[in-house]
Amino acid sequence: MATATAEPWKHVAWLAFLGTAGSLGLSLGLNYLLLFSDALTPFGRSMVTAGLLPVIIGLPLFALIGWNRVEIRRYQQELNRSGTYDGLTGCLNGPVFTSMVERRAARRSGPGPRSGAFLIIHPEHLRSINMRFGLEWGDEALRLIVSTIQSSVREEDLIGRIGASMFGVFLAGATEAEAEEIGERIRRRVAQVYFAPKGTEDVLAIKVGGVMLENEMEFSDMFRSAEQHLSDAQDEAGFELAHLNS
């Protein structure tokens, strides 16, 4: 552990030594050349030294500092993104999605108590795809499904990965008709996606279960009810929507 901690400091010390030695050598060499130059007066030599050395030494130094700041900012953005989004599909990860849904479900988007709809989407035959074509094609199927969901919902809707192969969609302020339309649209479009692992065309299918939210509640209650209606879907690629009043 101590060796690993000391390793970066060795690189910093070595870089500082090389930079200082290089700057010193450049300064001595430049002053030596100027000293024996007959074309310059002493004042001219001092002006060249005063103006040229800061450019030669300072420009690379500040460029390096600026580059390091850009890299640090990029790393921070990557860390923030990895803490917010699912690495495979690009949608919200489970904890962030859960928190955002609970906050938005507490809002009222208009007259009346209804605050929106919550859908659960479960891909069918994913295990079969993994076994027949490999895990990388199972991952590709998940990415295609999420991409289809994103193109099928409204801009203000939330999409999150809430399980290894399960996704949630929160439709803030949606009416029952809007929720049914969006759920059916997602199901229909997923079935139309071109998916050909290893050149063999296959069909993607999903189940969709959902609930209309009529009162403020915790995410676990939404999930439990939506999952029950997911299990009650009439066929293997069906959609069922119900009301949740408590």
Side-chain angles (χ1 to χ4, degrees), residues 15 58-71:
L15 182 62
L59 183 61
L61 176 62
F62 285 109
L64 178 61
I65 293 174
W67 174 257
N68 287 337
R69 289 178 64 87
V70 170
E71 286 294 292

Side-chain angles (χ1 to χ4, degrees), residues 129 133 137-138 140-141 144 193-197 200-204:
I129 292 173
F133 305 110
W137 283 105
E140 178 63 15
L144 288 172
V193 169
Y194 178 75
F195 179 60
T200 303
E201 188 170 356
D202 205 350
V203 177
L204 294 178

Side-chain angles (χ1 to χ4, degrees), residues 77-95:
Q77 290 174 345
E78 290 178 356
L79 286 174
N80 291 336
R81 181 173 179 82
S82 65
T84 304
Y85 297 98
D86 175 58
L88 176 64
T89 62
C91 64
L92 294 170
N93 64 34

